[in-house]
Amino acid sequence: MTSPAWHPFVRRVSAEVQGLHVEVVNHWFKGCALLVNGAEVARNDDRFALSEEVPLIEVTIAGPSGPLHLDVRMVAIFFTQIELRADGRHVAGSRLVKEQEQ
């Protein structure tokens, strides 16, 4: 699989989680999508993400080990910072939210 060409308005963050390829694709003019193994599972078309406190995208999918909760936190005003979290833990991108003590 070849990686897509770089585009100035597109930002990608990806990780392998429980054997699944999880990717966040944010396009400045088209919104943000969450893909699992290349299939879109959630989308948010908001143009701005002003707070990392609330997930921009949040979804629970069937993972190989049971339900897998994925959320995307983002701050995007002039520059975009993206954090991908799985089951409450940082897995890729910027660390925008401090992890809770368990």
Side-chain angles (χ1 to χ4, degrees):
M1 182 160 123
T2 61
S3 64
W6 180 83
H7 191 281
F9 297 112
V10 177
R11 177 92 198 281
R12 297 174 183 271
V13 172
S14 64
E16 294 294 320
V17 181
Q18 293 185 10
L20 303 171
H21 179 74
V22 181
E23 183 175 31
V24 178
V25 179
N26 184 67
H27 189 289
W28 185 259
F29 300 111
K30 297 179 185 174
C32 185
L34 180 62
L35 297 91
V36 176
N37 291 339
E40 185 176 304
V41 296
R43 167 175 286 285
N44 186 316
D45 293 327
D46 290 349
R47 300 256 174 145
F48 296 97
L50 301 175
S51 172
E52 67 277 2
E53 306 283 326
V54 178
L56 183 68
I57 296 176
E58 195 168 15
V59 66
T60 300
I61 62 167
S65 304
L68 177 63
H69 181 82
L70 301 170
D71 73 79
V72 177
R73 312 279 175 134
M74 187 180 309
V75 176
I77 301 168
F78 295 111
F79 300 99
T80 302
Q81 291 183 294
I82 301 171
E83 179 180 15
L84 173 61
R85 298 168 63 84
D87 291 332
R89 299 254 183 230
H90 170 87
V91 293
S94 302
R95 286 191 183 268
L96 298 177
V97 178
K98 183 178 176 184
E99 292 183 2
Q100 300 292 326
E101 298 275 331
Q102 305 241 359

